[in-house]
Amino acid sequence: MKIVKTIHELRAQLSGQNRIAFVPTMGNLHEGHLSLMRLARQHGDPVVASIFVNRLQFGPNEDFDKYPRTFEDDVAKLEKEGVYVIFAPDEREMYPQPQEYRVEPPHNLGDILEGEFRPSFFKGVCTVVLKLFSCVQPRVAVFGKKDYQQLMIVRRMCHQLALPMEIVPAETVRDADGLALSSRNRYLSADERREAPELAKALAQVREAVLAGGRHADIEQAAMAAIKGRGWQPDYIAVRKRSDLLALTEGQAAEPLVVLAAAKLGSTRLIDNLEI
Ligand code: PAF
């Protein structure tokens, strides 16, 4: 396995490869990320992973500075997964000048749900992802369904910009108690960690209520109130169409749905979703 820090070295290392499967990460790898590497291996060869904590996607009051950086550990895990190259640029390499050209997703997708509570998050994500794609030139890239909206936005970006690659979705990996794996879980205190699976439980209850034919707005409100009552601060619990992440309006024909949630437990903001 090679660890490369510059775009120049990366291109030299990957020259002539035309079946690259790529997994972009911000490091602090857990079993969820490793499942993405395994899926990548089924879709191409070699597997390339990037580790880069992307300042552009963090808001001014978010956790960029304290985001866990565990490079040595990450390298050991990727080595075991048979990753061929780790691309680990620093900020000077990725953004040698201020990144003035940015990729802005459409407002109807980028400004809702996560985008409403984290303005310019998806602009930061799309910008770095497109730049990473341009560096790695993969044939496929794997993204987790845990970040459901991110997956959809990146997929549409590839389609609209005619990038010659495929985005492969990976199922969310959960702990035995249902908590979706996330690098941010490590911020939780012991008490919060015990409470954290309640978010996934709330989503499962929403799913049941939707399948039982309840009104989506009522179900969402009840779920928000219930989780608030347990001490969470929810940003949203929303039942949306999988096709565009908009609400199903009255009278619209039924179509596949997903329930998405974001809520703070203490100072840790968790997101999760469940297809219905
Ligand atoms: O999902 C993530 O870890 C990040 O948003 C990504 C895709 C690596 C871009 O920085």
Side-chain angles (χ1 to χ4, degrees), residues 60-180:
N61 300 317
E62 294 185 351
D63 55 345
F64 175 77
D65 288 325
K66 75 164 192 172
Y67 197 85
R69 287 154 173 92
T70 51
F71 189 68
E72 300 305 316
D73 245 44
D74 295 343
V75 168
K77 288 177 179 164
L78 293 177
E79 176 109 61
K80 275 200 197 135
E81 294 302 330
V83 166
Y84 177 64
V85 170
I86 301 178
F87 178 44
D90 64 14
E91 286 202 278
R92 270 169 313 172
E93 181 67 14
M94 277 307 269
Y95 302 128
Q97 300 107 25
Q99 183 68 33
E100 287 163 344
Y101 285 79
R102 301 212 182 180
V103 182
E104 183 150 13
H107 297 298
N108 59 5
L109 190 55
D111 294 354
I112 59 171
L113 302 166
E114 282 303 279
E116 182 183 342
F117 293 91
R118 303 184 70 189
S120 80
F121 169 64
F122 288 118
K123 202 202 267 194
V125 168
C126 285
T127 303
V128 79
V129 167
L130 184 62
K131 194 158 181 173
L132 288 166
F133 286 171
S134 151
C135 298
V136 175
Q137 306 204 0
R139 194 181 62 87
V140 301
V142 180
F143 283 77
K145 279 165 114 176
K146 156 91 176 8
D147 296 293
Y148 206 86
Q149 192 176 3
Q150 168 174 280
L151 165 65
M152 177 176 265
I153 286 177
V154 167
R155 197 177 237 170
R156 287 203 179 175
M157 174 182 79
C158 288
H159 180 70
Q160 282 230 325
L161 299 179
L163 303 187
M165 55 180 295
E166 187 195 338
I167 300 297
V168 174
E171 291 305 324
T172 301
V173 179
R174 298 179 181 279
D175 267 335
D177 59 8
L179 176 64

Side-chain angles (χ1 to χ4, degrees), residues 185-240:
N185 291 352
R186 64 156 55 195
Y187 300 151
L188 298 168
S189 68
D191 280 350
E192 288 167 350
R193 175 62 191 81
R194 272 190 290 278
E195 172 63 21
E198 292 299 325
L199 190 60
K201 283 189 198 153
L203 294 180
Q205 282 161 8
V206 168
R207 183 173 186 275
E208 290 315 304
V210 168
L211 291 175
R215 238 184 108 239
H216 296 179
D218 298 339
I219 297 168
E220 293 167 356
Q221 243 177 19
M224 296 265 282
I227 203 119
K228 235 182 194 159
R230 301 186 62 92
W232 295 67
Q233 300 156 258
D235 283 342
Y236 59 84
I237 298 183
V239 177
R240 297 294 168 94

